[in-house]
């Protein structure tokens, strides 16, 4: 539960951030608000606590957002369970009660969803709202409209695939967060070599991973006995010839841009420049893979049969400046889905956190594009579920009803925490909310900005159904798992048999 309390303060639009300082050398500092990031970096000994860390990780991989809510909800479920166990209710009874409650809550949610997939305009505004809600609890909340727009545009370009590989995020310190922009092409974080064409139109690109540095004899480890200096020159000449042949083969593909993963020595570079081919060396590996993906080429490592190698294409390659760095910009690429988001910011910590927040938003959006059901946010879904679960508890005979009631109390803890983090009187607000929710079709939730109960539909605070469902189910299962345990046994390490 200590873990749940630790992450609790980061929940909601007014949640605070944490500074993580590593105990290793270098004392690297991370400032973050993302539940999964915080928990990943914790050094935990308690095995039960590790279960909580795991669910937040899974939530992060599965839907991207809601990492904090999962842990808070699981923590609250356990806290309630502790009271019940103290009241002599068997853990199994509690578990079966929780099971029923979770099922009931999920049905309550799925009845209340809205789905605007047919109407493109509405759907886009839904996406915008979801992005803004996701970002409002992060560092980007000041410019959330700007970033929500970036995220929605990027995801709309993916046309329904959840492959976030083709959205590249480049971080450049300097400027302010508002200067971040979305670029329709692909940007490679490299400079263009010396004496080479600065811009190429209708580029044919060969992406390769091969060594282009064999025009000098590698002396290390090789023993060559020669009787005069001229023989060395002959060996070097032969090496140069080999290199020249290789370059000829590469140029024979009919390309005008060659991107290599390893370094290119000045001799082959010279040859490329003479042929008017733009050669880029030492592109980092992600860059290469992504570039091949985006331009529709393949990564080649042998050049003997040019007809089998797929070349990449793009309309224009040019050098651009961002801040004080030169980057290479490929525009008009094959895959219309690819785009690059360039983040600017005051310091590296800000940039890292911005990237994490944006990544959360992108994950949620790409999931929503597939499963387009939408809910309101701001503690509204939890209240809806709590209300249904409460009614179930009244109908259920036996000890299970206590467990079911406890489940609804745990659900209410999420809006309570949101209110607490905003420094509002949570007890008062939750009581008002509950009253509101007993009316039909209420849209009430917590409006932290004005500090009162507000209409979530008007405020445009919405969340993806998939996120909420994942939160509910993961938290229940984790709580169940910890409840089933009655004691923790430390195992002796396996003995190594003496093989002698």
């Amino acid at each position: 539960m200590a873990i749940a309390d630790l992450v609790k303060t980061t929940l909601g639009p007014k949640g605070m951030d944490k500074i993580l300082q590593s105990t290793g050398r270098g004392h690297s500092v991370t400032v973050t608000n993302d539940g999964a990031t915080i928990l990943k970096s914790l050094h935990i000994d308690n095995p039960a606590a590790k279960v909580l860390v795991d669910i937040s990780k899974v939530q992060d991989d599965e839907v991207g957002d809601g990492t904090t809510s999962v842990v808070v909800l699981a923590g609250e479920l356990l806290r309630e369970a502790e009271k019940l166990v103290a009241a002599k209710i068997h853990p199994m009874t509690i578990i079966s009660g929780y099971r029923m409650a979770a099922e009931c809550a999920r049905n309550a949610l799925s009845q209340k969803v809205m789905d605007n997939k047919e109407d493109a305009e509405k759907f886009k505004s839904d996406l915008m709202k979801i992005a803004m809600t996701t970002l409002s609890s992060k560092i980007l909340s000041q410019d959330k409209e700007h970033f929500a727009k970036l995220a929605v545009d990027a995801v709309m370009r993916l046309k329904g695939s959840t492959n976030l590989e083709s959205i590249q995020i480049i971080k450049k310190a300097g400027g302010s967060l508002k200067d971040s922009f979305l670029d329709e092409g692909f940007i490679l974080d490299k400079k263009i070599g010396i004496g080479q064409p600065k811009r190429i139109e209708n580029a044919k690109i060969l992406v390769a991973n091969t060594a282009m540095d064999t025009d000098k004899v590698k002396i290390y480890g090789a023993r060559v006995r020669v009787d005069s200096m001229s023989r060395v020159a002959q060996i070097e000449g032969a090496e140069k010839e080999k290199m020249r042949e290789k370059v000829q083969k590469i140029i024979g593909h009919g390309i005008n841009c060659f991107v290599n993963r390893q370094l290119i020595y000045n001799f082959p570079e010279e040859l490329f420049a003479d042929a008017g081919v733009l050669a880029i060396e030492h592109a980092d590996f992600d860059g290469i893979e992504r570039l091949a993906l985006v331009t529709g080429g393949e990564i080649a490592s042998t050049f003997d049969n040019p007809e089998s190698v797929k070349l990449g294409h793009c309309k224009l390659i040019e050098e651009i400046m961002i801040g004080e760095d030169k980057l290479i910009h490929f525009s008009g690429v094959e895959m219309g889905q690819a785009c690059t988001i360039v983040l600017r910011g005051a310091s590296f910590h800000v940039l890292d956190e911005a990237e994490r927040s944006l990544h959360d938003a992108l994950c949620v959006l790409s999931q929503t594009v597939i499963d387009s059901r939408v809910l309101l946010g701001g503690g509204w879904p939890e209240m809806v579920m709590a209300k249904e679960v409460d009614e179930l508890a009244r109908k259920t005979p036996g000890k299970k009803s206590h467990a079911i009631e406890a489940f609804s109390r745990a659900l209410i803890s999420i809006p309570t925490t949101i209110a607490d983090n905003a420094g509002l009187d949570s007890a008062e607000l939750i009581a008002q909310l509950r009253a509101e929710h007993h009316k039909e079709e209420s849209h009430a939730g917590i409006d932290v900005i004005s500090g009162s109960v507000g209409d979530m539909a008007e405020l445009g605070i919405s969340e993806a159904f998939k996120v909420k469902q994942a939160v509910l189910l993961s938290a229940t299962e984790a709580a169940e798992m910890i409840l089933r345990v009655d004691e923790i046994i430390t195992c002796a390490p396996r003995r190594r048999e003496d093989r002698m």
Side-chain angles (χ1 to χ4, degrees), residues 225-240:
R225 286 212 178 139
V226 286
D227 44 16
S228 71
M229 217 38 216
S230 58
R231 289 298 172 87
V232 179
Q234 275 177 355
I235 295 176
E236 287 207 341
E239 290 276 342
K240 271 196 162 168

Side-chain angles (χ1 to χ4, degrees), residues 466-478:
K466 196 154 182 183
V467 175
K468 278 293 167 213
Q469 178 180 317
V471 167
L472 180 71
L473 301 180
S474 316
T476 317
E477 280 171 16

